[in-house]
């Protein structure tokens, strides 16, 4: 079976400025696929290129085995899209806008709109201009889901939502997955990805630096190590350390390497105490971005969105 989303060597440049460079990954049928990176890493540029809002400089992108440039109109019929920032006609009521969207898709969706709106706590009778940022985002969620699309593309979907609504939203997405739908979930919040996604692509400076299962990011590969040394001037030289350990009585680091190597290195010192535990995903994520500030300062004309 062909992947739902198939991106190969996708590059988008804005003149001399960087957008994304040589991006390659696939999203399989029925999975929730996370696309993570800090703001400015290139997530939105990739999504806009997928949706046909931007033309790629080089490379290819296919959705449902259709080319996003030449067959974009056919693709859009089967996609639900939630942008990071939602903007609507201020004078319309939320229910009117969603009814218009349903007619645009050619579906009878009154019952589904009512069900989704009730789940999210959205008042369909209020005008768009009176809605808070969070309630506007709720309108966007219902709009993306109302026609039961085969693929959901969500760009920073939880921004503006309070924690209770976020929980409900995640339950809705899990229900969509159970129906066999595919979800592409872009975020810079690692805890969201850890809770929701099956696999993840990590993007940095417009380039993909890793694609793997979410459980592979944090279980069995990385350890958070904290060591209390008797000699405060001692230095640990640990292979696989992503946060280099310097001198000090208490040393902390994220360690990726063999436990046997770790124990042998510790045995060379007078150790008062040691803690070894699985780190949260946020800490693992940090090692991918070490040095970003220095690279950004050196690359003054580089822009990723």
């Amino acid at each position: 079976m062909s992947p739902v989303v198939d991106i190969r060597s996708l590059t988008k440049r804005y003149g001399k400025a960087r957008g994304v460079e040589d991006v390659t990954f696939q999203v399989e049928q029925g999975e929730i696929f996370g696309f993570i990176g800090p703001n400015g890493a290139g997530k939105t540029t990739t999504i806009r290129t997928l949706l046909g809002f931007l033309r790629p400089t080089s490379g290819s992108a296919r959705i449902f085995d259709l080319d996003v440039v030449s067959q974009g109109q056919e693709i859009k019929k089967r996609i639900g899209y939630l942008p990071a920032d939602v903007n609507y006609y201020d004078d319309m009521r939320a229910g009117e806008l969603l009814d218009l969207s349903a007619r645009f898709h050619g579906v009878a969706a009154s019952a589904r709109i009512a069900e989704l709106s009730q789940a999210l706590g959205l008042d369909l009778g209020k005008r768009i201009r009176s809605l808070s940022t969070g309630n506007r985002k709720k309108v966007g969620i219902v709009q993306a889901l109302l026609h039961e699309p085969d693929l959901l593309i969500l760009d920073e979907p939880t921004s503006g939502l309070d924690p209770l609504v976020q929980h409900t939203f995640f339950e809705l997405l899990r229900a969509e997955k159970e129906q066999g739908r595919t979800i592409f979930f872009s975020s810079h919040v690692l805890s969201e990805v850890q809770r929701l996604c099956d696999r993840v692509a990590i993007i940095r400076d417009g380039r993909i630096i890793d694609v793997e299962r979410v459980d592979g990011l944090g279980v069995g590969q990385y350890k958070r190590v904290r060591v209390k040394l008797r000699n405060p001037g001692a230095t640990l030289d640990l292979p696989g350390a992503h946060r280099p350990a310097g001198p000090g009585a208490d040393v902390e680091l994220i360690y990726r390497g063999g436990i046997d190597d770790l124990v042998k290195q510790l045995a060379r010192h007078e150790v008062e105490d040691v803690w070894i535990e699985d780190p949260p995903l946020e800490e693992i994520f940090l090692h991918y971005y070490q040095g970003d500030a220095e690279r950004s300062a050196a690359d003054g004309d580089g822009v990723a969105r």
Side-chain angles (χ1 to χ4, degrees), residues 183-289:
I183 300 168
F184 184 85
F185 187 98
S186 172
S187 178
H188 68 278
V189 182
L190 268 294
S191 58
E192 294 179 352
V193 172
Q194 191 174 27
R195 289 169 55 191
L196 191 66
C197 297
D198 302 302
R199 289 191 304 133
V200 61
I202 300 173
I203 188 168
R204 180 182 70 191
D205 293 339
R207 292 180 178 271
I208 299 296
I209 58 173
D210 209 351
V211 180
E212 58 182 303
R213 292 194 59 81
V214 169
D215 53 16
L217 285 172
V219 178
Q221 295 190 38
Y222 295 88
K223 297 295 181 184
R224 176 162 59 182
V225 179
R226 183 157 61 94
V227 183
K228 187 174 184 63
L229 300 172
R230 190 158 295 161
N231 179 5
T235 299
L236 293 178
D237 181 18
L238 293 170
H242 290 298
R243 188 188 304 158
D250 292 322
V251 178
E252 294 188 32
L253 67 149
I254 298 296
Y255 174 78
R256 187 179 190 179
I259 294 298
D260 186 59
D261 290 335
L262 172 62
V263 172
K264 288 177 179 177
Q265 176 64 222
L266 293 178
R268 296 169 55 188
H269 301 270
E270 293 185 69
V271 176
E272 291 190 3
D273 210 342
V274 61
W275 297 261
I276 303 174
E277 59 187 351
D278 292 328
L281 194 55
E282 282 84 352
E283 289 197 30
I284 298 169
F285 187 62
L286 289 176
H287 95 264
Y288 287 105
Y289 292 92

Side-chain angles (χ1 to χ4, degrees), residues 78-236:
R78 300 172 61 187
I79 286 179
Y81 170 53
L82 178 63
D85 299 309
V86 290
N87 295 288
Y88 299 117
Y89 300 109
D90 282 351
D91 287 337
M92 294 188 74
R93 299 183 189 278
E96 294 171 343
L97 186 141
L98 293 169
D99 288 340
L100 176 63
S101 182
R103 292 199 300 272
F104 177 83
H105 286 289
V107 297
S110 297
R112 183 157 170 84
I113 290 171
E115 176 188 3
L116 292 169
S117 299
Q118 182 177 10
L120 293 167
L122 173 64
D123 186 343
L124 295 174
K126 287 193 173 182
R127 296 191 185 277
I128 298 296
R129 64 169 174 265
S130 69
L131 296 179
S132 65
T133 300
N135 281 315
R136 288 179 184 233
K137 182 58 68 77
K138 293 177 187 178
V139 175
I141 292 170
V142 177
Q143 185 180 44
L145 291 169
L146 64 84
H147 57 298
E148 299 181 294
D150 296 318
L151 170 65
L152 277 168
I153 297 179
L154 310 173
D155 190 1
E156 302 286 354
T158 62
S159 60
L161 298 180
D162 66 53
L164 289 176
V165 177
Q166 287 184 26
H167 176 77
T168 300
F169 175 52
F170 289 162
E171 290 301 310
L172 290 174
L173 294 184
R174 292 187 182 99
E176 293 299 302
K177 178 185 176 180
E178 289 176 2
Q179 296 297 317
R181 300 188 177 98
T182 306
I183 300 168
F184 184 85
F185 187 98
S186 172
S187 178
H188 68 278
V189 182
L190 268 294
S191 58
E192 294 179 352
V193 172
Q194 191 174 27
R195 289 169 55 191
L196 191 66
C197 297
D198 302 302
R199 289 191 304 133
V200 61
I202 300 173
I203 188 168
R204 180 182 70 191
D205 293 339
R207 292 180 178 271
I208 299 296
I209 58 173
D210 209 351
V211 180
E212 58 182 303
R213 292 194 59 81
V214 169
D215 53 16
L217 285 172
V219 178
Q221 295 190 38
Y222 295 88
K223 297 295 181 184
R224 176 162 59 182
V225 179
R226 183 157 61 94
V227 183
K228 187 174 184 63
L229 300 172
R230 190 158 295 161
N231 179 5
T235 299
L236 293 178

